[in-house]
Amino acid sequence: MSGRRLNLSSEKTAFVLSSCLLLTLLTQLLLIVHHDELVIQIDSWEHELEGNLLQLDLELREALVGEYNGRAAIAKKKTVLEVPPLGHVSYPPGAAKRGRGPFGEEIKVGKATKLRGNFSSYSMEPADILERAGVDYTDGYVPSISVREMRALRKSNLEESAKQKATLPSLEDIQRMYGAESHIVGLDRCEEFKHNVEPEFRIMGPAGLFNSATNLLNKLLKMNCSNEVRRRTKKYKAGSTGMLLQAPWGKHNPVFYRMNHVAKVGGRGINQSHFLPIVMIKDPVTWMASMCRHPYEARWRHDNRHCPNLVPNKFDWGRTPGEGSMALKVKFATKRGYPDPVPDDPTNKTFVDYESLAHLWSEWYRDWYEADFPRLVVRFEDLMFHAEESISKVCDCIGGTMKPNFRYVEDSAKGQGGPHMGSAGFLASLISYGNITLRNQDILKDVSDRAYAREHLDKELMEIFGYAPI
């Protein structure tokens, strides 16, 4: 029996194929328009799942401690364990010698230089950092690349070919760019926040511009910090440990969205005065390079041959070289009233105009620096070179408890899907952001761009946050 052949010339077949094509185009259009909300929603589901797993893990640990103490009491031993407080671990006799912690976990000894307060000040040497993070740099790494480049590599099954040999930056170069200490603004207002908000209700999470490492902060907080008073009430399904996915007014939105907007994902039902925003900031030079690879909701005309492009040159089509600046529009969420609708006024718009990338960085962070409520502003670079110290200070600001063993985020904190495709992992980031030649010479290559950046980047903010002059 012969099979029936598909008649591609029939009207019915043409209609079916046209409908499928139209449906595909509509789906792609919806993904383009709502891709950021979709990614945040997926992150929210992941965050809730991780929170449930964390709750289970903590309950198991408490049960193990209780079992140990019960048996120790029966044996009339004096050693009694407690759930480890901030930055400290109690070990049963001989545990440290056996290389095991109080819950049987393997102890990896880091190269701590000295104890200071409730945390250890660890070595900034890149090799030491990677050792503590459990990363083997001898296998090479894949650098951060654009979404288009990553798609091309995946399509050709050539991801492995993109690996490069890992040459670690020197400690001297790192400290010339970022200094030898962490820079966290707002620690002086932690006691004010704790005085105003009862322990059970204290929550925190990331805010920051696109490409400022808000996802990295979120994961580090979830893995290493917990509001134990809130968690032990067992009343909160989302944010049970006090670590939220993002600011409830939307993490990328300007400061005036606080109390004037409720984010679609993770914003409903949150008392915004109980939330301590942890604002991520990045060196403006390397931040502009990240924006070129992943612009997210920033719209401006740019070309791979000239980006960052603060001043137009021959590669900026339709512009006279050397005249004016490359302006951009940034799409922020349309404000929804908190709790009442906000009237239509000049600040209530989807797109906000900026004269250049330098103006966007300066104006957005200047507003957060001058905020009249408790908040912390944390450098992205400190999450690489001072991770233990920085996360400990942030956790302590809400009276949180650090877990006994600090955990790093080894892969890209953003994941490898959608607009985050091609994002760098921990090793690639450490190499890239520790590269002084890249930072000082290879990003702002055009003389006009460098001069414009020197003039229009907020010099006071750069000095406050310890960023080297351009």
Side-chain angles (χ1 to χ4, degrees):
M1 185 175 73
S2 60
R4 297 178 60 185
R5 297 182 62 185
L6 179 65
N7 184 4
L8 297 178
S9 62
S10 70
E11 291 185 3
K12 185 176 181 181
T13 302
F15 174 77
V16 171
L17 292 176
S18 299
S19 300
C20 291
L21 178 60
L22 179 60
L23 181 61
T24 302
L25 291 174
L26 288 174
T27 302
Q28 291 180 340
L29 180 61
L30 287 172
L31 288 173
I32 291 172
V33 173
H34 298 288
H35 73 274
D36 205 38
E37 293 177 6
L38 178 62
V39 169
I40 291 177
Q41 182 64 67
I42 292 173
D43 283 347
S44 177
W45 291 331
E46 179 187 354
H47 181 83
E48 184 175 341
L49 176 61
E50 289 183 356
N52 291 335
L53 292 174
L54 174 64
Q55 177 80 15
L56 178 61
D57 177 67
L58 290 171
E59 289 177 357
L60 287 173
R61 284 173 175 262
E62 288 179 344
L64 286 171
V65 170
E67 178 70 14
Y68 177 88
N69 288 337
R71 294 189 179 187
I74 293 173
K76 297 183 178 180
K77 293 182 179 179
K78 295 183 179 179
T79 303
V80 177
L81 286 178
E82 297 178 355
V83 177
L86 176 64
H88 291 80
V89 185
S90 300
Y91 299 98
K97 294 180 182 180
R98 295 194 301 270
R100 296 284 170 180
F103 308 113
E105 72 272 23
E106 182 181 353
I107 300 171
K108 291 185 178 180
V109 181
K111 296 189 177 180
T113 55
K114 61 179 180 179
L115 287 175
R116 189 172 62 195
N118 287 329
F119 51 84
S120 297
S121 180
Y122 289 88
S123 167
M124 283 181 66
E125 284 285 357
D128 294 341
I129 294 172
L130 293 171
E131 181 183 349
R132 296 199 302 271
V135 176
D136 180 11
Y137 66 90
T138 61
D139 190 39
Y141 72 103
V142 177
S144 180
I145 56 179
S146 68
V147 173
R148 182 179 299 176
E149 291 170 325
M150 178 57 76
R151 283 176 177 162
L153 288 173
R154 288 185 176 179
K155 187 175 181 181
S156 305
N157 294 319
L158 295 174
E159 286 185 71
E160 282 295 315
S161 67
K163 274 193 174 182
Q164 299 180 6
K165 180 181 178 181
T167 302
L168 300 184
S170 70
L171 177 61
E172 180 184 2
D173 284 350
I174 294 170
Q175 293 184 345
R176 284 171 62 189
M177 289 186 288
Y178 311 120
E181 297 180 352
S182 62
H183 290 68
I184 301 179
V185 168
L187 291 171
D188 57 319
R189 303 192 70 173
C190 291
E191 292 305 316
E192 175 187 347
F193 177 79
K194 287 187 278 191
H195 175 76
N196 293 335
V197 183
E198 292 295 322
E200 176 187 338
F201 304 117
R202 295 172 193 163
I203 50 180
M204 66 178 173
L209 275 175
F210 319 109
N211 291 301
S212 62
T214 54
N215 290 294
L216 175 61
L217 174 69
N218 171 248
K219 288 185 178 295
L220 285 172
L221 286 175
K222 286 195 298 183
M223 293 191 303
N224 295 293
C225 178
S226 174
N227 179 346
E228 287 296 279
V229 175
R230 180 182 179 88
R231 183 186 68 81
R232 286 171 177 161
T233 65
K234 299 183 180 180
K235 295 192 301 187
Y236 304 96
K237 182 179 179 182
S240 62
T241 63
M243 310 299 125
L244 300 192
L245 175 68
Q246 65 165 342
W249 53 86
K251 62 183 180 180
H252 297 313
N253 290 324
V255 65
F256 58 80
Y257 272 62
R258 180 179 181 268
M259 299 298 190
N260 290 301
H261 179 72
V262 177
K264 285 185 177 179
V265 178
R268 295 183 178 90
I270 301 296
N271 186 329
Q272 296 189 6
S273 64
H274 292 169
F275 180 87
L276 180 71
I278 315 300
V279 184
M280 293 301 303
I281 189 171
K282 183 189 281 189
D283 182 335
V285 178
T286 55
W287 171 80
M288 287 190 284
S290 297
M291 290 295 291
C292 292
R293 292 189 297 271
H294 304 278
Y296 293 95
E297 300 296 346
R299 272 77 159 170
W300 84 101
R301 186 179 298 168
H302 58 284
D303 187 287
N304 289 337
R305 295 169 295 179
H306 181 213
C307 195
N309 53 338
L310 302 178
V311 179
N313 67 12
K314 63 180 181 180
F315 297 115
D316 297 301
W317 181 81
R319 294 294 307 273
T320 303
E323 283 192 8
S325 62
M326 296 300 295
L328 69 156
K329 293 178 180 289
V330 180
K331 182 183 177 183
F332 297 116
T334 301
K335 288 198 299 180
R336 296 172 180 79
Y338 179 89
D340 301 316
V342 175
D344 189 15
D345 60 33
T347 66
N348 187 14
K349 57 184 178 181
T350 302
F351 285 94
V352 179
D353 296 316
Y354 294 91
E355 290 184 39
S356 70
L357 283 172
H359 286 83
L360 169 58
W361 186 92
S362 298
E363 293 174 21
W364 201 95
Y365 285 110
R366 170 57 65 175
D367 289 342
W368 271 104
Y369 176 71
E370 296 179 348
D372 61 357
F373 53 86
R375 82 281 175 262
L376 297 181
V377 187
V378 179
R379 299 191 309 179
F380 156 68
E381 296 78 13
D382 288 337
L383 297 189
M384 287 191 297
F385 305 118
H386 302 281
E388 296 94 340
E389 177 181 333
S390 299
I391 295 299
S392 293
K393 288 181 177 179
V394 170
C395 185
D396 187 52
C397 194
I398 68 162
T401 299
M402 285 290 286
K403 298 175 190 176
N405 295 317
F406 190 87
R407 293 174 59 195
Y408 281 80
V409 179
E410 297 178 26
D411 297 323
S412 170
K414 298 179 179 181
Q416 284 294 327
H420 299 150
M421 189 182 296
S423 300
F426 184 72
L427 175 57
S429 294
L430 187 143
I431 292 173
S432 176
Y433 293 101
N435 188 333
I436 195 168
T437 302
L438 175 66
R439 193 266 185 189
N440 290 348
Q441 300 177 24
D442 294 345
I443 294 178
L444 293 173
K445 297 180 180 180
D446 194 294
V447 175
S448 297
D449 290 330
R450 294 182 68 81
Y452 190 92
R454 288 193 192 101
E455 181 179 355
H456 294 284
L457 283 173
D458 192 316
K459 298 180 183 63
E460 183 185 16
L461 283 182
M462 291 187 68
E463 183 178 352
I464 288 170
F465 289 98
Y467 292 127
I470 298 172

Coordinates of all heavy atoms in Angstrom, one line a residue, residues 113 122-129 168-181 385-386 430 433-436:
T113 N 44.1 35.3 57.2 CA 45.2 36.0 57.7 C 45.0 36.4 59.1 O 45.9 36.3 60.0 CB 45.5 37.2 56.9 OG1 44.3 38.0 56.8 CG2 45.8 36.9 55.4
Y122 N 40.3 37.2 54.6 CA 41.0 36.2 53.9 C 42.0 36.9 52.9 O 41.8 38.0 52.5 CB 40.0 35.3 53.1 CG 39.3 34.4 54.0 CD1 38.1 34.8 54.6 CD2 39.7 33.1 54.3 CE1 37.3 33.9 55.4 CE2 39.0 32.2 55.1 CZ 37.8 32.6 55.7 OH 37.1 31.8 56.5
S123 N 42.9 36.1 52.4 CA 43.8 36.5 51.4 C 43.1 36.9 50.1 O 42.2 36.3 49.7 CB 44.8 35.4 51.1 OG 45.6 35.6 49.9
M124 N 43.6 38.0 49.5 CA 43.1 38.5 48.2 C 43.8 37.9 47.0 O 43.5 38.1 45.9 CB 43.2 40.0 48.1 CG 42.2 40.8 48.9 SD 42.5 42.6 48.6 CE 42.1 42.8 46.9
E125 N 44.8 37.1 47.3 CA 45.5 36.4 46.2 C 44.6 35.6 45.3 O 43.8 34.7 45.9 CB 46.7 35.5 46.7 CG 47.9 36.2 47.2 CD 48.8 36.8 46.0 OE1 48.4 36.5 44.9 OE2 49.8 37.5 46.3
P126 N 44.5 35.8 44.0 CA 43.6 35.1 43.2 C 43.6 33.5 43.4 O 42.6 32.9 43.4 CB 43.9 35.5 41.8 CG 44.5 36.8 41.9 CD 45.2 36.8 43.2
A127 N 44.8 33.0 43.5 CA 45.0 31.5 43.6 C 44.3 31.1 44.9 O 43.7 30.0 45.0 CB 46.4 31.1 43.6
D128 N 44.5 31.9 46.0 CA 43.9 31.5 47.3 C 42.4 31.6 47.2 O 41.7 30.8 47.8 CB 44.4 32.5 48.4 CG 45.9 32.3 48.6 OD1 46.4 31.2 48.2 OD2 46.5 33.2 49.2
I129 N 41.9 32.6 46.6 CA 40.4 32.8 46.4 C 39.8 31.6 45.7 O 38.8 31.0 46.1 CB 40.1 34.1 45.7 CG1 40.5 35.3 46.5 CG2 38.6 34.1 45.3 CD1 40.3 36.6 45.8
L168 N 46.1 34.0 35.8 CA 45.6 34.8 36.9 C 46.2 36.2 37.0 O 47.4 36.4 36.8 CB 45.8 34.0 38.2 CG 45.2 32.6 38.3 CD1 45.4 32.1 39.7 CD2 43.7 32.7 38.0
P169 N 45.4 37.2 37.3 CA 45.9 38.5 37.5 C 46.7 38.6 38.8 O 46.6 37.8 39.7 CB 44.6 39.4 37.7 CG 43.6 38.4 38.2 CD 43.9 37.1 37.6
S170 N 47.6 39.6 38.9 CA 48.4 39.8 40.0 C 47.7 40.5 41.1 O 46.8 41.4 40.8 CB 49.7 40.6 39.7 OG 49.4 41.9 39.4
L171 N 48.0 40.3 42.4 CA 47.4 41.0 43.5 C 47.7 42.5 43.4 O 46.8 43.3 43.7 CB 48.0 40.4 44.8 CG 47.5 41.1 46.1 CD1 46.0 41.0 46.3 CD2 48.2 40.5 47.3
E172 N 48.9 42.9 42.9 CA 49.2 44.3 42.8 C 48.3 45.0 41.8 O 47.8 46.1 42.1 CB 50.7 44.4 42.3 CG 51.1 45.9 42.1 CD 52.5 46.0 41.6 OE1 53.1 44.9 41.3 OE2 53.0 47.1 41.4
D173 N 48.0 44.4 40.7 CA 47.1 45.0 39.7 C 45.7 45.1 40.3 O 45.0 46.1 40.1 CB 47.0 44.1 38.4 CG 48.3 44.3 37.6 OD1 49.1 45.2 37.9 OD2 48.4 43.6 36.6
I174 N 45.2 44.1 41.0 CA 43.9 44.2 41.6 C 43.8 45.3 42.6 O 42.8 46.1 42.6 CB 43.5 42.8 42.3 CG1 43.4 41.7 41.3 CG2 42.2 42.9 43.1 CD1 43.3 40.3 41.9
Q175 N 44.8 45.5 43.4 CA 44.7 46.5 44.4 C 44.9 47.9 43.8 O 44.5 48.9 44.4 CB 45.8 46.2 45.5 CG 45.4 45.0 46.3 CD 46.4 44.7 47.5 OE1 47.5 45.3 47.5 NE2 46.0 43.8 48.4
R176 N 45.6 48.0 42.7 CA 45.7 49.3 42.0 C 44.4 49.8 41.5 O 44.1 51.0 41.4 CB 46.8 49.2 40.9 CG 48.2 49.2 41.4 CD 49.2 48.9 40.2 NE 49.1 49.9 39.2 CZ 49.7 49.8 38.0 NH1 50.4 48.6 37.7 NH2 49.6 50.7 37.1
M177 N 43.6 48.8 41.1 CA 42.2 49.2 40.6 C 41.2 49.4 41.6 O 40.4 50.3 41.6 CB 41.8 48.1 39.6 CG 42.5 48.0 38.3 SD 41.8 46.9 37.1 CE 42.2 45.3 37.9
Y178 N 41.2 48.5 42.7 CA 40.1 48.5 43.6 C 40.5 48.7 45.1 O 39.7 48.7 46.0 CB 39.4 47.2 43.5 CG 39.0 46.8 42.1 CD1 39.4 45.6 41.6 CD2 38.2 47.6 41.3 CE1 39.1 45.3 40.3 CE2 37.8 47.3 40.1 CZ 38.3 46.1 39.5 OH 38.0 45.8 38.2
G179 N 41.8 48.9 45.3 CA 42.3 49.0 46.7 C 42.4 47.7 47.4 O 42.2 46.6 46.8
A180 N 42.9 47.8 48.7 CA 43.2 46.5 49.4 C 42.0 46.2 50.4 O 42.1 45.1 51.1 CB 44.5 46.7 50.2
E181 N 41.0 47.0 50.5 CA 39.9 46.7 51.4 C 38.5 46.8 50.7 O 38.4 47.4 49.6 CB 39.9 47.7 52.6 CG 41.2 47.6 53.4 CD 41.2 48.6 54.6 OE1 40.3 49.5 54.6 OE2 42.1 48.5 55.4
F385 N 36.7 39.6 45.5 CA 38.0 39.7 46.2 C 37.9 39.8 47.7 O 38.8 39.6 48.5 CB 38.8 40.9 45.7 CG 39.0 40.8 44.2 CD1 38.5 41.8 43.4 CD2 39.7 39.8 43.6 CE1 38.7 41.8 42.0 CE2 39.9 39.7 42.2 CZ 39.4 40.7 41.4
H386 N 36.7 40.0 48.2 CA 36.4 40.1 49.7 C 35.0 39.5 50.0 O 34.2 40.0 50.8 CB 36.4 41.5 50.2 CG 37.6 42.3 49.9 ND1 38.8 42.2 50.7 CD2 38.0 43.2 49.0 CE1 39.7 43.0 50.2 NE2 39.3 43.6 49.2
L430 N 36.9 36.6 37.6 CA 38.1 37.0 38.4 C 39.2 37.4 37.5 O 39.9 38.4 37.7 CB 38.5 35.8 39.3 CG 39.6 36.1 40.3 CD1 39.3 35.4 41.6 CD2 41.0 35.7 39.7
Y433 N 38.0 40.9 35.5 CA 37.9 42.1 36.4 C 39.2 42.4 37.1 O 39.4 43.4 37.7 CB 36.7 42.0 37.3 CG 35.4 42.1 36.5 CD1 34.7 40.9 36.3 CD2 35.0 43.3 36.0 CE1 33.5 40.9 35.5 CE2 33.8 43.3 35.3 CZ 33.1 42.1 35.0 OH 31.9 42.2 34.3
G434 N 40.2 41.4 37.1 CA 41.5 41.7 37.7 C 42.5 42.1 36.7 O 43.7 42.3 37.0
N435 N 42.1 42.2 35.4 CA 43.0 42.6 34.3 C 43.1 44.1 34.2 O 42.2 44.8 33.6 CB 42.4 42.0 33.0 CG 43.4 42.1 31.8 OD1 44.2 43.1 31.8 ND2 43.3 41.2 30.9
I436 N 44.2 44.7 34.7 CA 44.3 46.1 34.7 C 44.5 46.7 33.3 O 44.1 47.8 33.0 CB 45.5 46.5 35.6 CG1 45.5 48.0 35.9 CG2 46.9 46.1 35.0 CD1 46.4 48.4 37.0

